[in-house]
């Protein structure tokens, strides 16, 4: 789960990391009021959870009240990568001395939490990682002890020569690490971390992503979710313990297991079709879950055919069959359904579905091909 | 012959009295697995499918000599279950539970470093050595004793591929799912090291997916160190960039971790890649006859 | 540092451990009022920080208002092991089903924190430890991971057969462990831990000691200190970074280092004298520290001779000499002083003290003998 | 010959710019100790008594090859200093700092278990191998090269006894204070194991005090395993029960840990106990000539 810059900064502030004076606004009038409070010049920043806001014109410096209004109007009417801007952050204009990058993620390979620091801030860190990986300094936290003070100092001393700033930076790194661990974060990032002309260390931007598996223990994090910015169907799916991602094709896929779901999409494509979605109904299923899955799938009007690919292990094919049957009646589904159900209780499933007017397939190849065939 | 589990496995089921735990205990017993004990704190003294239940792993190990455990407890308690098993001297822990926060796994992995305990998973479907033992939730009927080792990051996709292999007439030495989470106890390379030493394994199938760079690392390892033929499959060719596909293992960060990259790494390092699960089985069959 | 039972229970409550309904009182009237609130029968418990309160008559069950008054009067006029009772705790009378012991300390040998459980509660655990050590079940916490849940359950299942009570006990053990670590405790103890007739697990008594080295990070713990219950001189010494324990002899000893201070007392005794105190002026000293030490020492009117035994390492003998000189003038000390100063800057010290009319000694044997001699 | 420190010691002083750190750096240099580096974060680039100061231990080790460190930083930061030294590959850490909370030491000890790093202290006065190296705050002038090993829980009491030994005409191989805190890195037995192997050591003096049961454990160890003569002294015969005597090592819990018990344990296991420091030296002299 992701949150907006302004939300990430609220968390940062709570942990004692310095951020610019700021106010989140929804309307042009609010922006003007905020600019008076914060002072002009100020920066107006679109709050959307996609990269490249700056390039898209979503971040503007306003040097006069007139410019405040102009920028507020333009940004609040903007779409960035297809996402309409509904909130902006009015931010104190900081007199920047230097910019750096500071972030924390889990390194899958080393199986440890890693603090990444780079003397170049405000640029895309992924680009640097690809082109000049040596420019990124990595410090690993001890998995049981945390980010030890000497490790945090190492980060600070890498970024800054002035010991005072270096130790302030060490303290910021320790606070970031605490946020990371306390909140089950999957990414926490300050880019750029700036030293202003007065020598203060300020988080000019903030990024905070969360590990979905950790959300159950953080209702306060869950409460930050911006439901407007997420796809309604994907969100609904998540709430029903399903995993759904909408794509642009016309063959709706219902599969158990993420790997098999991806392989199913790949197979549809392989045989010349276009998958309409990724939909994983998960491990242990019930007829209700199948019903819910179909409800979500059918919101997509592009879907012309439904392809069930179920390999029963912990999932029982009869549960899925009962779900299909119920859904077909309750939701009055007219779409042709190709069903490939194999594994646990597959015979029972066949018995249940015998009279339902489905197209059966013995293998996933056959299922994909039949689904594509039906579109012709 | 086999790796991880076999005739010598004495299995303990953690969370044996739960819905999944009891169901799969029955399934594993049916398969012929030597299930010696179960643990559910507070249910000590009961029996599940004839298997004695204990309050703690240490007690269960002491009374039954269990050497392997499989974990069916909810994510919230699964990490503690791993610690308990490791503390009690269990040698192999197969964690089926899914949804464990990554930061918890970072600690688990660090804690296990000092213990004589291997973890498979979490979010693993389990391990099967056909004809010897089945530990986990993989459906037993799809397996056949044979000489192909299968290791996968997925669950059901593994079944699909195993099923195809079996239907092609071949069989498996050992098959396991290592779990698709970002932090897991056992990786592809760990498995390949064991398959290399396993006399019964003549070829290995590696089933990867988008996200991370484990497949790339594995490819390099295979080229340098692995003498047996390796076949590969990568799921997620049609996954859009920067979209989460069901579990944490399936995130694409920038271009790193795409299916195309992984397939390229496989092919450049001598791993034969099948376009579809069916093709994997066909290529294998062609090679092993 | 130790705190009273009622203070320990306040901490326990904060951590979610069940304690009886209780009220701390200073006067008989307060006790009577409290007994009405809590209900009669109730238990009146002397709040003194010494063992054996029960045997000394400091804990009484009152079955009527008359008895409440009687017991309150008697206990509030009582001395236990020489300590006057100034506070009593009025406590709900619990219908006891069973009694157990639960405590946490650091095991020096294993260098780990250990939870101790015993099925016999309400008795002296030290006695059991000596006579039947096997009756005490020990569970070690992992030093980096803490008291893991399965270890806590082990404690519960050892004490109680009923799983419900056992798990409740595991939860109590985990909370105790959290108190121990959070507050830098050196001992936390529930004795007895009782199951009442309703099956509730209640901490009937509570003991909580703190590691003095940890106090600097726990102002809230320091605030619990009952200054009245501590020896004024010892407390004053502590505040001045000195370590003082009053004894009953007449030779006042001023020494640097705890081991040498004890050895000095032992030596005085060995040669037939009686040490008046233990006084360690610590590692790095200053003239002020020596002044302070003498001020405290001289509050004891039994002191007839003062014996300085200083082995200078980090302590500089000239600092000590200057302190002696200043004190002699400022405090107008008439007592004979035997000075044995050796080590760092010992010559300077001799120069400083040449004219001060002290008795010098070259060795500690000689110093002790001279001090004893002076009493004759 | 010696144990712990000697001619091969390349010493790093943590907290070198502090009052105690700089004073004792001078003292150690005077004694002839090979002090190669100092660390005070933020003071990198400075010099103290000619010794280069670095911002971190890893950097100092990298540039000077330091293998031993002595810690003079305040209690609040001392534990972090130990971790930093251990992480940087320092083999021996002598922690002079006193006042470290016991629960912090429990963690330190656990953390060091996996590292190739020995800790002496905290609250140790240091280690001296006369004529070779002095690490810590012990006053150098009282020592003389010889064949007596001295290990003690105290600071100044150690000086007293060493002084007597030297004045009796004998000398020391290595002398150290292990610290009087409840949790310490190195105990009597650890030292005896090394003294046993040290060719230069012909007898050992163990200076104990009330509290704990380390002296009792040591006595049993000596009887079973230690071939060289051992002399002992116990401080605290006049300490009243249940009273704290200056530091945490000096608490009597019930009768366990009294001086009488410890003396008895020593005598029953063949350790010759001196009544006073002077007597210890006299007994030693008599034995070794």
């Amino acid at each position: 789960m992701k949150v907006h810059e302004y939300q990430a900064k609220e968390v940062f502030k709570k942990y004692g990391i310095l951020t610019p004076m700021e106010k989140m606004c929804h309307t042009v009038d609010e922006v003007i009021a905020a600019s008076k409070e914060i002072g002009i010049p100020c920066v107006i920043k679109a709050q959307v959870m996609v990269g490249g806001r700056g390039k898209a014109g979503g971040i503007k410096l306003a040097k006069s009240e007139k410019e405040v209004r102009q920028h507020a109007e333009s940004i609040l009417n903007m779409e960035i990568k297809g996402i309409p801007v509904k909130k902006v952050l009015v931010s104190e204009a900081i007199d920047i001395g230097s910019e750096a990058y500071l972030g924390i993620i889990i390194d899958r390979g080393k199986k440890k939490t890693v603090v990444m620091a780079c003397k170049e801030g405000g640029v895309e860190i992924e680009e640097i990682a690809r082109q000049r990986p040596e420019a990124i300094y990595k410090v690993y936290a001890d998995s049981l002890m945390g980010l030890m003070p000497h490790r945090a100092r190492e980060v600070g001393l890498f970024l800054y020569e002035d010991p005072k700033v270096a130790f302030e930076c060490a303290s910021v790194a320790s606070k970031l690490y605490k946020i990371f661990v306390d909140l089950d974060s999957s990414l926490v990032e300050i880019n750029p971390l700036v030293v202003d002309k007065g020598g203060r260390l300020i988080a000019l931007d903030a990024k905070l992503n969360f590990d979905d598996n950790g959300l159950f223990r953080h209702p306060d994090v869950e409460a930050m979710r911006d439901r407007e910015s997420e796809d309604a169907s994907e969100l609904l799916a998540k709430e029903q313990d399903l995993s759904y991602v909408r794509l642009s094709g016309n063959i709706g896929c219902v599969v158990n297991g993420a790997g098999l779901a991806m392989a199913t999409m790949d197979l549809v494509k392989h045989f010349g079709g276009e998958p309409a979605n990724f939909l994983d109904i998960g491990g242990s299923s019930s007829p209700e879950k199948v019903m819910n899955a179909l409800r979500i799938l059918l919101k997509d009007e592009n879907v012309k055919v439904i392809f069930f690919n179920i390999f029963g292990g912990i999932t029982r094919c009869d549960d899925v069959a009962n779900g299909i049957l119920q859904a077909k009646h309750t939701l009055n589904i007219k779409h042709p359904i190709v069903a490939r159900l194999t594994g646990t209780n597959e015979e029972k499933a066949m018995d249940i579905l015998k009279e339902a007017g489905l197209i059966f397939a013995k293998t996933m190849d056959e299922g994909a091909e039949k689904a594509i065939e039906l579109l012709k | 012959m086999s790796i991880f589990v076999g005739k010598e496995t004495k299995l303990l089921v953690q969370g044996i009295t739960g819905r999944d735990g009891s169901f799969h205990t029955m399934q594993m017993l049916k398969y012929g697995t030597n299930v010696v004990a179960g643990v559910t704190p507070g249910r000590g003294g009961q029996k599940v499918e004839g298997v004695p239940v204990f309050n703690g792993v240490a007690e269960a190990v002491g009374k039954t000599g269990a050497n392997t455990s499989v974990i069916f407890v909810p994510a919230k308690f699964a990490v503690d279950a791993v610690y308990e098993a490791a503390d009690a001297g269990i040698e192999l822990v197969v964690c089926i539970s899914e949804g464990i926060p990554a930061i918890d796994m970072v600690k688990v992995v660090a804690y296990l470093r000092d213990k004589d305990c291997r973890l498979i998973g979490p979010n693993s479907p389990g391990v099967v050595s056909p004809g010897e033992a089945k530990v986990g939730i993989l459906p037993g009927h799809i397996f056949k004793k044979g000489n192909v080792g299968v290791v996968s990051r997925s669950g059901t996709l593994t079944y699909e591929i195993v099923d195809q292999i079996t239907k092609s007439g071949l069989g498996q030495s050992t098959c396991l799912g290592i779990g698709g989470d970002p932090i897991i106890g056992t990786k592809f390379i760990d498995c390949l090291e064991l398959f290399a030493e396993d006399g019964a394994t003549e070829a290995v199938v590696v089933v990867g997916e988008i996200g991370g760079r484990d497949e790339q690392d594995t490819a390099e390892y295979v080229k340098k160190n692995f003498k047996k033929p390796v076949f590969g499959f990568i799921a997620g060719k049609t996954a859009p960039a920067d979209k989460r596909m069901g579990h944490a293992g399936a995130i694409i960060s920038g271009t790193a971790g795409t299916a195309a990259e992984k397939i390229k790494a496989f092919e450049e390092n001598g791993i034969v890649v099948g376009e579809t699960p069916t093709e994997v089985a066909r290529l294998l069959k062609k090679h092993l006859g």
Side-chain angles (χ1 to χ4, degrees), chain A, chain B:
Chain A
M1 183 189 133
K2 295 177 177 184
V3 295
H4 288 293
E5 175 193 2
Y6 79 91
Q7 294 171 309
K9 281 179 169 169
E10 280 164 17
V11 173
F12 282 18
K13 263 184 266 181
K14 215 177 287 170
Y15 279 79
I17 297 173
L18 200 60
T19 55
M21 209 189 333
E22 285 176 337
K23 194 148 190 173
M24 197 272 284
C25 302
H26 295 86
T27 64
V28 175
D29 287 347
E30 280 178 24
V31 171
I32 290 166
S35 72
K36 283 174 183 160
E37 211 176 289
I38 286 162
I40 295 172
C42 62
V43 181
I44 300 169
K45 307 173 87 175
Q47 297 296 288
V48 285
M49 290 183 235
V50 289
R53 285 180 303 170
K55 278 184 201 158
I59 302 179
K60 287 258 165 73
L61 174 69
K63 289 180 192 154
S64 64
E65 202 181 319
K66 196 180 139 206
E67 282 189 10
V68 169
R69 178 180 294 279
Q70 275 175 0
H71 295 332
E73 277 172 356
S74 87
I75 295 176
L76 277 166
N77 279 309
M78 189 176 271
E79 275 197 3
I80 299 178
K81 295 188 183 170
I83 297 170
V85 178
K86 296 187 173 170
K87 296 167 183 170
V88 295
L89 190 60
V90 179
S91 182
E92 179 189 2
I94 303 286
D95 216 356
I96 296 171
S98 75
E99 294 183 284
Y101 170 91
L102 194 59
I104 302 182
I105 55 163
I106 290 176
D107 181 328
R108 289 162 166 238
K110 291 233 162 55
K111 303 182 186 181
K112 283 182 168 189
T113 305
V114 61
V115 181
M116 298 172 299
C118 179
K119 287 176 188 171
E120 301 157 55
V123 291
E124 264 207 54
I125 196 70
E126 289 83 1
E127 271 310 306
I128 294 182
R130 246 191 312 279
Q131 291 164 13
R132 289 175 295 113
E134 70 286 355
I136 298 174
Y137 190 73
K138 290 180 183 172
V139 166
Y140 287 85
D142 183 279
S143 301
L144 302 181
M145 306 284 294
L147 183 66
M148 294 160 112
H150 64 280
R151 292 283 179 200
R153 283 199 299 271
E154 222 180 297
V155 173
L157 289 163
F158 168 77
L159 288 180
Y160 304 104
E161 291 209 351
D162 179 349
K164 206 176 137 282
V165 181
F167 294 156
E168 186 54 38
C169 173
S171 151
V172 170
S174 298
K175 286 164 185 167
L176 275 193
Y177 180 78
K178 196 159 160 40
I179 291 171
F180 191 89
V181 171
D182 281 2
L183 302 184
D184 275 296
S185 173
S186 58
L187 168 71
V188 50
E189 198 177 85
I190 305 179
N191 187 19
L193 174 67
V194 308
V195 180
D196 75 358
K197 290 280 160 67
R200 297 181 310 164
L201 205 60
I202 303 170
L204 207 60
D205 199 352
K207 201 166 173 182
L208 187 51
N209 296 353
F210 298 95
D211 176 359
D212 287 347
N213 283 349
L215 286 176
F216 74 90
R217 50 189 176 195
H218 304 294
D220 47 333
V221 169
E222 183 61 54
M224 284 196 280
R225 189 188 289 278
D226 182 0
R227 306 182 66 87
E228 281 188 8
S229 77
E230 298 193 29
D231 181 278
S233 292
E234 292 181 14
L235 201 59
L236 183 63
K238 202 176 293 171
E239 284 167 0
Q240 293 170 343
D241 227 6
L242 301 165
S243 185
Y244 173 80
V245 177
R246 186 163 171 170
L247 305 171
S248 56
N250 49 16
I251 298 178
C253 304
V254 186
V255 190
N256 65 324
L260 187 59
M262 287 192 287
T264 304
M265 287 155 53
D266 294 352
L267 195 69
V268 165
K269 182 91 176 175
H270 177 77
F271 285 122
E274 288 296 336
N277 62 279
F278 168 94
L279 205 171
D280 170 16
I281 60 169
S284 57
S285 59
S286 62
E288 292 71 41
K289 224 169 173 181
V290 177
M291 286 270 286
N292 291 336
L294 285 170
R295 257 193 212 103
I296 288 163
L297 193 82
L298 292 171
K299 287 191 191 205
D300 179 357
E301 292 180 354
N302 292 335
V303 170
K304 299 292 177 249
V305 178
I306 300 169
F307 176 21
F308 272 84
N309 186 21
I310 303 295
F311 206 116
I314 204 164
T315 303
R316 305 181 195 176
C317 292
D318 52 334
D319 279 347
V320 176
N322 278 321
I324 296 175
L325 212 59
Q326 279 178 34
K328 213 166 144 45
H329 292 304
T330 322
L331 309 178
N332 193 24
I333 300 176
K334 301 287 178 215
H335 300 65
I337 299 176
V338 178
R340 188 266 183 148
L341 310 178
T342 187
T344 313
N345 295 352
E346 83 177 71
E347 296 78 14
K348 274 195 203 166
M350 287 300 152
D351 286 346
I352 292 162
L353 291 177
K354 233 178 336 201
E355 312 294 330
L358 272 56
I359 299 114
F360 295 104
K362 278 216 158 318
T363 67
M364 65 188 273
D365 285 23
E366 186 190 336
E369 287 180 310
K370 282 190 173 169
I372 293 164
E373 190 63 31
L374 284 166
L375 286 171
K376 287 178 183 165
Chain B
M1 278 284 286
S2 55
I3 66 172
F4 295 125
V5 306
K7 283 288 172 209
E8 70 292 352
T9 296
K10 296 172 102 177
L11 187 67
L12 167 82
V13 180
Q14 290 180 263
I16 193 169
T17 56
R19 184 180 175 276
D20 292 346
S22 57
F23 176 76
H24 288 288
T25 296
M26 184 187 70
Q27 297 289 328
M28 292 186 287
L29 284 166
K30 265 192 193 165
Y31 195 82
T33 311
N34 185 16
V35 184
V36 298
V39 164
T40 297
R43 299 291 188 89
Q46 300 185 2
K47 291 211 167 191
V48 170
E49 307 284 338
V51 175
V53 180
F54 298 90
N55 283 317
V57 178
E59 190 193 351
V61 168
K63 297 214 172 127
T64 68
N67 55 16
T68 300
S69 110
V70 61
I71 294 179
F72 284 103
V73 308
K76 227 172 140 172
F77 306 109
V79 159
D80 291 330
V82 177
Y83 291 134
E84 181 172 3
D87 278 0
I90 291 284
E91 294 157 23
L92 175 73
V93 176
V94 179
C95 184
I96 308 300
S97 314
E98 62 177 318
I100 299 177
I103 203 82
D104 289 0
M105 282 311 304
V106 167
K107 285 182 91 170
V108 168
V109 165
Y111 186 78
L112 293 188
R113 238 167 235 148
D114 289 343
K115 307 266 168 184
D116 222 8
C117 176
R118 173 185 290 281
L119 172 68
I120 293 176
N123 200 3
S124 157
V127 191
V128 174
S129 295
E132 300 187 42
K134 165 180 124 121
V135 172
I137 62 173
L138 303 107
H141 71 274
I142 60 173
F143 296 93
K144 197 182 116 184
K145 199 169 179 63
N147 53 10
V148 180
V150 180
V151 55
S152 167
R153 275 171 72 186
S154 303
T156 46
L157 175 55
T158 318
Y159 313 165
E160 185 69 48
I161 289 177
V162 166
D163 196 38
Q164 305 268 6
I165 294 170
T166 299
K167 281 179 176 154
S168 82
L170 296 172
Q172 303 83 33
S173 53
T174 295
C175 168
L176 75 151
I178 57 174
D181 284 3
I183 308 294
I184 50 176
T186 297
K187 294 195 167 200
F188 285 139
I189 294 176
D190 303 313
C191 301
L192 288 174
E193 283 173 350
L194 293 170
F195 277 132
E197 302 297 317
D198 179 42
T201 303
E202 287 180 25
V204 176
V205 176
V206 175
V207 183
E209 59 186 37
I210 52 170
R213 50 168 290 116
D214 236 34
E215 288 79 1
Q216 289 90 319
D217 296 342
T218 304
E220 286 169 28
Y221 170 84
V222 164
K223 179 158 197 179
K224 270 197 216 143
N225 309 293
F226 200 73
K227 308 285 175 235
K228 303 179 182 180
V230 180
F231 296 82
F233 180 80
I234 301 289
K237 290 187 279 280
T238 52
D242 210 24
K243 267 293 183 184
R244 175 176 282 257
M245 290 285 166
H247 62 62
I251 302 169
I252 306 185
S253 328
T255 61
T258 61
E261 273 180 292
K262 287 167 191 275
I263 290 171
K264 188 161 167 273
F266 270 13
E267 287 176 342
E268 286 177 359
N269 289 286
I271 299 178
V272 181
V273 179
E275 270 274 302
T276 67
T278 318
E279 203 195 344
V280 173
R282 203 162 49 227
L283 292 165
L284 249 179
K285 178 71 181 171
K286 208 172 132 190
H287 185 93
L288 293 175

